Amino acid sequence: MWLGDRDYYLAELIRLDGRGDYTSDSCCQCNVSAPAQFRCDDCCDVQLYCQDCVVVNHLRSPTHRIKEWTGSFFQPTSLKKLGLRIQLGHAIGENCILPRKAFNDDFVLIDTNGIHQIAIDFCACETSQTHTRQLLRMGWFPSTSVDPRTAATFRVLQHYQILSFESKASAYEFYHSLVRISDNTGLIKKDRYEPFMRMVREWRHLKMLKRFGRGHDPASVSGTKEGECAVLCPACPQPGKNLPSDWKEAPKAKQWLYSLFVAIDANFRLKRRAISSDEADPSLSMGWSYFVEEKKFKTHLKEHLSQTQERSSCSNHNAVNMAETKLSQGLAATGVGTVDCARHNFKRPNGVGDLQKGEKYVNMDYLFFSTLRNNCLNALNVSYDIACQWHKNLWSRMESLPESHHISYLRVFIRFFVPKFHLPAHINKCQTMFSFNFTRFVGRTDGEAPERGWSNINPVASSTKAMGPGCRRDTLDDHFGDWNWKKVVGLGASLIHKMQEAVTEKADHETAFQEFNAVISSDHRSAWTVEMEKWEENPNDSSVTNPLERKSIQITQAAARLKLVEMEAYELACGIDLSLHPNISPSVLIASGLDLEEEQRRVKAACEGMGLHISDTQKGTLTRMRNVLHRKIETWRSAQVLYMPAVQILSSTAVPAYHQPSKNAEDISLWLPSSLKSKPCDSRLQDHEWDLRYAQAHDALEELRQCLCVHCSMLTFKREWVRGQGSNTRAQNALARVHTRQVACTKRYRVAWEALKTLAPLLTKTRWQGRLRDLKDEDVKPLVDPFGRETEGRRRLTWIWMMTGVDTDGDGGDVDGVRVEWCKSRARAMRWTEEVELLHKEMRRVLQFLDWQAEWWDEQQDRRDCETMAEHEGLVAYANKQADIRRRLASRFRLLWAAHLPQPPPSFISCPPLDNITQFPDLMLPDLQCNEPSVPFGA
């Protein structure tokens, strides 16, 4: 549709390069003879005005871009050239008796629509403020506090800060986009990039101090403590902020709900080149937010730089074994290490620091103990991808840290974990000892929180790698703060999404475990429960048997071949290939019919396996098999008609099927009792077939389970040990044979199932209901699928593994595997139950934290003595604004979580409406979705 309108769209764009309908020589505003030849690009007005009117109209808009009509085209000019002068220190339109021009009358103002030459007059009256204050009160941020000649509007600084959070655009790219907006020809050179960088950095720092109440504190900025300017996680336990006063007296069974989850990781994308130094470029904040205080950190590293790091006794982890060999030429920092909230993905205060080589313990230890300095909780869960190695000798390494960084590990219950995604890279022992899936009281925590945050911060690496040390830390601190604030605002959607999923999964996994548990013998159930509970009490005790480790020897290829040979021997012993005796009883008749049915499936499978182009030898073999089967069916049919006369009636209407030369033996209908449907049949024969079909179904399932176990073991063996084309071909052929038997078992069961469904109403059978089921393709799965996509915490066993008797001993019984899967199924149900309980607690903590924070802001209003009423009013207004933001967030969360909270508090009704957010332009509440919201950091 639009493509057809391109011509007139284009014509209208070109038309704006002329005067359009405003070709009059007189000004439309003053109607004087002065020529109307000026137009503003930023006003919503394309009329032309005279010079005097343009100046008057832009007393309040000094950064608008003006164009002058030369008689043939428009060319850019400036309000300064037209005579506009901005008087600071007075109301607009009011003149100062002692105006003072900027140095050399050369002042540059940076705004969102470009870089502008401005003519300003500072006030020099007796009551005048400093030049810097006059600019700040105008909403312009000076580049220096002494004789400023450059400034940026608050608007452009706020605009770039939010843009950098969302797009990760560098200050260089943003500044030069403003240059091109001002002049896209490159003919005008007025470089203010360095002053702009300085203003951006100072703006970020001041906004951080403002948001954390440093302007309200009588101790002022200098009284700021380490980690005090970090956005805290409202859902994590914060004593004095979101915990009940008696939380330490909670029952022992509930103490785990007050434990802290932290995750440690390193990012080697956030490098920094060896540029500048801390002396030339110090950080504006000295460890006040996320980065540790640099001087103390570097002093500690220097004292312990020569310490050697023990090598990994687990897998060959590069983070451990190659920590000393990380490429660092030309780099002052090879990356950063962080400590995060493991459940909600918040960067923790004083939990970030530079890495000089690789992921060395001396760096990560300092960060870990720095962020836990003020921790007074009794339980701590620590996730780290090399936790199995890092936690060794941790407490002896702690002794080398300052006394302020020590924690009482004898008082605090500390457990170490490996994140779920990283766990498969560890040895088998680590995969149970350090697993979130099999450890009590951790819910569905996965420990991978830091990895989710790297995608957000990695795009900044291209600009921060060329920064000085202080500027880089301040920039990353600002981005981490914005990330945490977005997480705060997004907690409403994220927690309800987790809760809805957890409630559903909890019900499903509890039902699955109950079904599994019901088919386990009482002796095994009791023994396994005791064994699992004993291990859960102390999983690190080597003297305690680990119930999650298989005790039996894994099946090898040789054993698998032996198992297949034994299956064939068993079939021969059962007489499947023997000729029938002429004296056939009713039970033998039905049993023989089932054998013939199985032989028909064998012949059909042999025929399908030969393909389209078969040799004469293969044709001969197939024909002999069919002839033998024909003779067996004829012999069996002569006895069948005596017991089942209806078969004679069915056959008399047409030429007997076995006399039709076009009918293959495997396609002949055997007319067993279950196939007669409404035809009369002796109930004894129906009962015999029922018993045999019921046994056939169970036998087919047992053989199917064995084939699945054999196939899974052979597949794992092939993947790990088989190399070379010949060996792989032989292994693939063995797998194909097992798969063929698996398909045959599936078909045999489905035939038995259909027969049982037909016979059940005739015989009023009910005992089979709930035990045997319709076998679908998705039900044919092994206990543990080596190539399955389901994670451990979400894996569900199919019904074929949850039947009564699967844990019985026997030649084919995989009791060891069933025990392991029973323990895992129990653990899955427990983790989802814990997750629901933990999410309930976290929701309450979030609301309580927001209420506490709102009250904290209320208390900040009158803490500081002010020189003027205007300053006091600003402090009160900002405190009220911040308190209201927290109350509105809490109100929204209560509404969102209403179904999962006992009762909303009384304040829930009196909160202001949520749809009116225009009064807070800095705050954008997210949509009610589980995706990450796009919001600025604070207000």
Side-chain angles (χ1 to χ4, degrees):
M1 185 66 180
W2 177 83
L3 295 176
D5 299 333
R6 286 179 292 185
D7 288 335
Y8 86 78
Y9 269 75
L10 184 60
E12 290 296 324
L13 290 177
I14 296 175
R15 185 175 182 272
L16 289 175
D17 284 312
R19 290 178 294 173
D21 297 329
Y22 306 100
T23 57
S24 174
D25 291 334
S26 61
C27 177
C28 64
Q29 181 169 318
C30 62
N31 294 318
V32 296
S33 59
Q37 57 188 24
F38 299 98
R39 186 168 73 188
C40 180
D41 277 353
D42 296 311
C43 290
C44 294
D45 184 4
V46 293
Q47 296 186 83
L48 274 69
Y49 297 87
C50 65
Q51 180 174 341
D52 292 339
C53 289
V54 166
V55 171
V56 171
N57 292 342
H58 288 86
L59 287 173
R60 289 177 170 81
S61 306
T63 61
H64 279 199
R65 294 167 296 168
I66 307 300
K67 288 184 178 178
E68 180 182 4
W69 179 251
T70 64
S72 58
F73 65 95
F74 281 105
Q75 69 176 9
T77 185
S78 68
L79 288 167
K80 180 181 179 181
K81 290 180 181 179
L82 298 180
L84 176 64
R85 299 196 68 84
I86 304 300
Q87 178 63 62
L88 302 181
H90 292 269
I92 294 176
E94 183 180 310
N95 294 323
C96 177
I97 59 175
L98 292 173
R100 180 175 296 175
K101 295 181 180 180
F103 183 79
N104 287 337
D105 197 19
D106 180 19
F107 193 88
V108 174
L109 181 64
I110 303 174
D111 201 2
T112 54
N113 62 348
I115 301 170
H116 309 274
Q117 292 283 335
I118 303 290
I120 65 171
D121 292 327
F122 292 104
C123 175
C125 300
E126 290 184 1
T127 59
S128 65
Q129 300 291 335
T130 63
H131 291 187
T132 300
R133 286 202 175 193
Q134 291 181 47
L135 289 170
L136 289 172
R137 291 184 181 183
M138 189 68 177
W140 299 351
F141 196 94
S143 64
T144 178
S145 59
V146 179
D147 195 16
R149 284 175 282 176
T150 305
T153 62
F154 290 1
R155 177 172 54 249
V156 72
L157 293 174
Q158 177 77 0
H159 180 77
Y160 169 66
Q161 187 180 26
I162 302 303
L163 179 68
S164 69
F165 290 154
E166 294 303 316
S167 70
K168 304 303 183 286
S170 68
Y172 181 88
E173 295 165 336
F174 182 77
Y175 175 80
H176 283 86
S177 69
L178 296 178
V179 171
R180 295 185 63 185
I181 290 174
S182 303
D183 172 45
N184 203 21
T185 64
L187 298 177
I188 302 175
K189 298 294 183 182
K190 203 69 175 180
D191 191 8
R192 290 292 194 275
Y193 172 63
E194 288 189 5
F196 180 72
M197 281 288 294
R198 184 164 58 249
M199 289 184 286
V200 166
R201 186 175 173 189
E202 292 170 355
W203 171 264
R204 281 173 163 163
H205 180 68
L206 291 172
K207 291 288 282 186
M208 178 192 72
L209 295 173
K210 180 184 176 185
R211 290 168 183 143
F212 291 97
R214 299 315 307 157
H216 294 70
D217 197 322
S220 69
V221 174
S222 60
T224 308
K225 300 176 183 177
E226 292 183 25
E228 195 170 359
C229 295
V231 180
L232 302 178
C233 175
C236 285
Q238 311 275 354
K241 299 179 178 67
N242 61 4
L243 294 184
S245 56
D246 60 345
W247 67 272
K248 289 187 177 181
E249 282 71 45
K252 187 176 181 181
K254 298 296 181 182
Q255 281 289 334
W256 68 275
L257 293 170
Y258 303 104
S259 58
L260 179 66
F261 292 80
V262 297
I264 307 172
D265 199 16
N267 184 332
F268 294 103
R269 291 283 298 277
L270 296 175
K271 302 177 175 66
R272 189 182 77 81
R273 295 173 183 165
I275 299 173
S276 189
S277 63
D278 286 297
E279 291 72 23
D281 181 30
S283 174
L284 297 180
S285 59
M286 297 165 286
W288 291 348
S289 49
Y290 305 98
F291 268 87
V292 292
E293 203 282 316
E294 191 70 8
K295 186 176 293 185
K296 298 177 183 176
F297 183 42
K298 291 288 181 62
T299 301
H300 175 74
L301 295 180
K302 188 176 181 180
E303 293 174 352
H304 301 88
L305 198 61
S306 59
Q307 290 181 355
T308 57
Q309 186 165 302
E310 58 269 24
R311 297 184 64 82
S312 172
S313 60
C314 180
S315 299
N316 188 27
H317 297 301
N318 290 342
V320 180
N321 294 340
M322 301 186 67
E324 302 284 351
T325 60
K326 192 74 175 179
L327 182 63
S328 58
Q329 185 177 1
L331 299 175
T334 58
V336 297
T338 66
V339 183
D340 295 39
C341 158
R343 284 190 58 82
H344 314 104
N345 202 2
F346 282 69
K347 289 289 180 290
R348 285 188 54 82
N350 294 138
V352 182
D354 285 335
L355 304 176
Q356 289 68 43
K357 275 285 190 179
E359 203 168 338
K360 297 186 68 173
Y361 290 168
V362 64
N363 296 74
M364 308 310 288
D365 292 347
Y366 191 93
L367 302 180
F368 174 70
F369 289 108
S370 291
T371 194
L372 295 175
R373 274 181 300 174
N374 300 319
N375 175 63
C376 58
L377 298 171
N378 295 328
L380 180 65
N381 299 305
V382 184
S383 171
Y384 192 11
D385 51 12
I386 52 172
C388 59
Q389 304 301 308
W390 173 76
H391 86 288
K392 299 176 181 178
N393 306 315
L394 178 62
W395 308 123
S396 60
R397 298 199 304 270
M398 183 185 70
E399 298 301 324
S400 65
L401 293 167
E403 188 68 29
S404 59
H405 288 58
H406 291 193
I407 63 175
S408 178
Y409 59 90
L410 297 178
R411 176 187 62 83
V412 181
F413 179 63
I414 303 179
R415 297 184 294 180
F416 299 93
F417 300 90
V418 174
K420 291 181 179 179
F421 179 79
H422 291 78
L423 195 59
H426 290 246
I427 60 176
N428 291 333
K429 184 178 180 181
C430 293
Q431 293 182 26
T432 54
M433 288 180 60
F434 298 96
S435 173
F436 278 105
N437 287 317
F438 308 131
T439 306
R440 291 188 300 177
F441 307 138
V442 295
R444 285 286 301 155
T445 310
D446 60 13
E448 297 289 356
E451 301 292 344
R452 300 184 180 97
W454 297 142
S455 61
N456 173 73
I457 197 65
N458 279 342
V460 183
S462 60
S463 57
T464 57
K465 68 181 179 182
M467 292 180 180
C471 182
R472 171 174 169 273
R473 289 197 295 272
D474 292 343
T475 301
L476 291 178
D477 269 342
D478 198 39
H479 280 273
F480 289 147
D482 174 68
W483 172 260
N484 279 12
W485 174 249
K486 288 197 291 186
K487 287 294 181 181
V488 170
V489 180
L491 277 173
S494 63
L495 288 186
I496 191 63
H497 174 73
K498 290 180 179 179
M499 176 62 81
Q500 290 169 348
E501 181 188 36
V503 169
T504 302
E505 294 288 343
K506 172 179 178 286
D508 291 347
H509 283 281
E510 283 184 345
T511 302
F513 176 67
Q514 290 170 3
E515 292 178 358
F516 197 179
N517 196 44
V519 303
I520 302 299
S521 64
S522 57
D523 292 341
H524 279 159
R525 189 185 307 135
S526 301
W528 294 349
T529 302
V530 171
E531 192 175 357
M532 190 66 179
E533 289 177 348
K534 187 176 181 181
W535 179 80
E536 287 174 334
E537 287 291 334
N538 193 355
N540 296 322
D541 189 351
S542 58
S543 63
V544 178
T545 302
N546 186 346
L548 297 167
E549 294 180 355
R550 294 177 64 100
K551 301 171 185 176
S552 60
I553 301 175
Q554 294 290 329
I555 300 175
T556 62
Q557 281 191 318
R561 294 193 183 99
L562 177 61
K563 179 68 69 176
L564 294 177
V565 173
E566 289 174 348
M567 290 180 185
E568 294 174 356
Y570 176 76
E571 291 174 354
L572 292 173
C574 293
I576 293 178
D577 291 336
L578 297 178
S579 300
L580 298 177
H581 195 277
N583 298 323
I584 300 175
S585 65
S587 60
V588 173
L589 175 74
I590 303 301
S592 300
L594 297 184
D595 292 342
L596 290 173
E597 187 181 69
E598 177 65 20
E599 193 163 346
Q600 282 183 319
R601 285 194 288 269
R602 289 175 179 273
V603 174
K604 186 177 294 186
C607 178
E608 293 173 351
M610 290 182 181
L612 297 177
H613 307 286
I614 60 177
S615 63
D616 291 341
T617 303
Q618 290 175 319
K619 285 183 180 179
T621 302
L622 180 61
T623 302
R624 283 195 296 272
M625 293 174 63
R626 284 172 173 169
N627 292 339
V628 172
L629 183 57
H630 260 296
R631 288 193 293 271
K632 289 183 179 179
I633 293 176
E634 288 178 2
T635 304
W636 178 79
R637 182 78 79 193
S638 61
Q640 182 191 26
V641 295
L642 298 176
Y643 291 99
M644 303 168 61
V647 174
Q648 186 69 41
I649 299 174
L650 290 171
S651 302
S652 62
T653 58
V655 179
Y658 49 86
H659 289 153
Q660 297 178 21
S662 61
K663 195 80 167 180
N664 293 325
E666 64 269 22
D667 298 325
I668 297 175
S669 297
L670 296 180
W671 301 113
L672 289 167
S674 59
S675 304
L676 296 180
K677 298 182 179 178
S678 60
K679 301 297 180 180
C681 182
D682 191 342
S683 60
R684 290 181 302 171
L685 296 176
Q686 293 174 340
D687 196 54
H688 287 327
E689 185 180 5
W690 167 270
D691 291 337
L692 291 171
R693 289 289 190 188
Y694 192 73
Q696 183 186 41
H698 280 278
D699 289 344
L701 284 179
E702 176 60 26
E703 188 174 349
L704 176 60
R705 288 193 291 264
Q706 293 176 19
C707 287
L708 288 171
C709 289
V710 171
H711 190 272
C712 183
S713 298
M714 292 176 66
L715 200 61
T716 303
F717 182 88
K718 175 181 177 292
R719 182 181 61 182
E720 294 182 357
W721 299 105
V722 176
R723 298 293 183 272
Q725 183 176 352
S727 299
N728 269 289
T729 301
R730 288 190 293 272
Q732 197 62 43
N733 291 337
L735 284 169
R737 289 194 295 271
V738 177
H739 180 71
T740 300
R741 294 192 64 85
Q742 177 182 317
V743 172
C745 294
T746 303
K747 291 180 179 179
R748 190 187 317 137
Y749 175 84
R750 286 171 176 167
V751 171
W753 165 257
E754 293 298 328
L756 289 171
K757 283 201 302 182
T758 302
L759 294 171
L762 302 176
L763 302 174
T764 64
K765 297 287 187 178
T766 59
R767 63 181 180 177
W768 70 298
Q769 295 178 354
R771 300 189 64 185
L772 298 177
R773 306 181 192 177
D774 186 15
L775 184 63
K776 301 176 182 178
D777 290 340
E778 57 265 27
D779 295 328
V780 184
K781 293 170 57 179
L783 269 173
V784 181
D785 188 355
F787 297 104
R789 295 186 177 181
E790 288 181 322
T791 60
E792 178 57 42
R794 299 174 186 272
R795 189 161 58 85
R796 293 181 175 87
L797 297 179
T798 59
W799 66 267
I800 66 173
W801 295 101
M802 296 187 290
M803 297 177 58
T804 303
V806 293
D807 62 325
T808 56
D809 291 322
D811 293 336
D814 187 11
V815 182
D816 204 27
V818 172
R819 171 182 54 78
V820 171
E821 290 308 312
W822 180 89
C823 293
K824 291 182 178 180
S825 177
R826 174 182 177 272
R828 285 192 290 269
M830 291 177 67
R831 295 300 83 76
W832 282 110
T833 302
E834 294 165 2
E835 180 71 7
V836 172
E837 192 172 0
L838 191 54
L839 286 172
H840 275 123
K841 186 65 69 175
E842 288 174 346
M843 287 180 174
R844 295 190 185 97
R845 285 202 287 255
V846 170
L847 298 177
Q848 191 171 347
F849 183 88
L850 292 173
D851 291 340
W852 167 84
Q853 209 168 41
E855 294 175 1
W856 184 88
W857 274 110
D858 287 337
E859 296 169 357
Q860 304 306 305
Q861 297 180 15
D862 301 314
R863 290 189 63 200
R864 184 170 181 175
D865 296 331
C866 301
E867 297 179 359
T868 63
M869 285 298 297
E871 185 179 352
H872 179 263
E873 183 178 346
L875 292 174
V876 173
Y878 187 74
N880 286 334
K881 174 184 174 181
Q882 291 290 343
D884 189 68
I885 289 173
R886 271 67 183 181
R887 291 192 174 98
R888 293 175 65 232
L889 280 174
S891 173
R892 183 168 195 157
F893 293 172
R894 286 190 177 95
L895 178 64
L896 197 58
W897 302 339
H900 300 282
L901 294 175
Q903 285 184 355
S907 60
F908 172 75
I909 301 174
S910 61
C911 287
L914 296 174
D915 54 353
N916 181 19
I917 64 172
T918 56
Q919 57 184 316
F920 301 124
D922 288 339
L923 177 68
M924 296 163 50
L925 297 179
D927 296 330
L928 302 185
Q929 300 175 355
C930 62
N931 57 322
E932 295 295 347
S934 177
V935 293
F937 166 34

